[in-house]
Amino acid sequence: MKRDQISKAKNIKALLSASITVLFFSSFSHAAELGESLVLCKHNKTVRTLRVEIGTDQVCRAIYTKQGVDETIGSGQNHQSCHDFVTNVRKNLEEAKWNCREVKEARTSNVLINSEE
């Protein structure tokens, strides 16, 4: 590969990585606005998230996001039980050397890729 092609490939890879991160956070901004729980965990360049969502039916759902895929890890009428699910998974991740923190606010932005480059 020529140097320009390598540089272009690296730029595209970086933009795609940024886009994926933006997609993660775009779903979080709604949860953060509602004051619901959101935990962001990182290990090297890998990101996992934990959040509690409360539906219109007042049933809570504890959601774990891994590689961009949401998985409901618990649900119930008692909202504290969903927070307990999140707390337990966070504890397990931290014991495995992940760095976790609560997110109070999230912002989103759009990344545009110029296809002519």
Side-chain angles (χ1 to χ4, degrees):
M1 260 185 168
K2 293 182 181 178
R3 182 173 287 182
D4 288 342
Q5 289 174 319
I6 293 171
S7 178
K8 181 179 177 182
K10 286 182 180 180
N11 287 338
I12 290 172
K13 184 177 178 181
L15 287 172
L16 290 175
S17 295
S19 298
I20 290 169
T21 302
V22 168
L23 290 174
F24 281 136
F25 282 107
S26 65
S27 63
F28 302 145
S29 63
H30 179 67
E33 289 169 5
L34 298 175
E36 298 170 353
S37 294
L38 172 64
V39 177
L40 178 70
C41 298
K42 294 181 184 179
H43 185 265
N44 298 325
K45 293 183 180 183
T46 305
V47 176
R48 306 272 170 89
T49 61
L50 298 156
R51 69 183 186 275
V52 174
E53 291 183 351
I54 300 171
T56 56
D57 56 0
Q58 293 303 307
V59 172
C60 69
R61 281 173 286 290
I63 300 170
Y64 179 57
T65 305
K66 176 180 175 182
Q67 297 177 340
V69 178
D70 287 349
E71 178 182 344
T72 300
I73 56 174
S75 64
Q77 293 287 337
N78 179 354
H79 297 179
Q80 185 59 44
S81 64
C82 290
H83 291 280
D84 292 344
F85 283 119
V86 167
T87 300
N88 289 336
V89 173
R90 177 182 180 167
K91 180 182 171 194
N92 290 341
L93 287 170
E94 289 175 334
E95 287 174 355
K97 306 299 183 217
W98 287 71
N99 294 316
C100 298
R101 65 180 176 90
E102 279 195 47
V103 176
K104 299 293 184 193
E105 180 180 350
R107 297 181 192 174
T108 61
S109 62
N110 294 322
V111 177
L112 301 176
I113 299 174
N114 186 351
S115 60
E116 293 179 15
E117 289 183 9

